[in-house]
Amino acid sequence: MEMRKRRLFLEKKYYQWFIYKFYDVFGGYTQDFKKPILSILCLILMFSGIYYFIDYDILKALQRGVKGALPYMEIDTKNPFEGYWLILRNIELVLGGTFLAFFVLALRKRFKQ
């Protein structure tokens, strides 16, 4: 994977190189299941810090951060996201789903070995 990533950079295929770099940094090429978990935790903390500015409540900010990072969890029934906050939540939703997929693939590979 590293050699392919280097070759893509030298061939100036930057979009494909970025995908491999993203997969390496956040997923560890599914060799390490700790990287995706740390990525999810960092995502939750980062977006909770951002969501704090919706209504200046730490508990609700953490709930929103967890709800956005773990897309299949339902914490509250009312949707507090409007306008630009909805864009941020959707970004967090996509990244959280991706990191969860990396984690599941890494666990699968670990149990196959």
Side-chain angles (χ1 to χ4, degrees), residues 44 48 51 60-81 89 92-93:
I44 289 171
S48 293
Y51 293 149
K60 285 187 179 182
L62 283 173
Q63 288 177 344
R64 290 176 181 136
V66 170
K67 184 179 178 181
L70 304 174
Y72 301 107
M73 285 188 66
E74 281 296 323
I75 293 176
D76 56 357
T77 57
K78 132 181 138 169
N79 189 6
F81 301 102
R89 182 181 183 270
E92 185 185 16
L93 187 73

Side-chain angles (χ1 to χ4, degrees), residues 4-59:
R4 186 179 301 166
K5 186 172 70 172
R6 289 181 189 160
R7 189 187 71 223
L8 288 171
F9 187 76
L10 293 174
E11 292 174 359
K12 296 183 171 127
K13 295 181 179 178
Y14 297 119
Y15 177 74
Q16 294 172 349
W17 173 82
F18 176 75
I19 297 296
Y20 275 88
K21 186 70 174 172
F22 182 84
Y23 190 35
D24 175 28
V25 170
F26 296 110
Y29 298 127
T30 65
Q31 298 296 321
D32 186 15
F33 63 90
K34 295 173 198 153
K35 275 189 176 183
I37 288 295
L38 288 175
S39 299
I40 289 173
L41 290 176
C42 289
L43 187 73
I44 289 171
L45 290 176
M46 183 176 73
F47 275 89
S48 293
I50 294 170
Y51 293 149
Y52 175 75
F53 296 106
I54 291 178
D55 57 3
Y56 299 101
D57 185 10
I58 291 177
L59 184 59

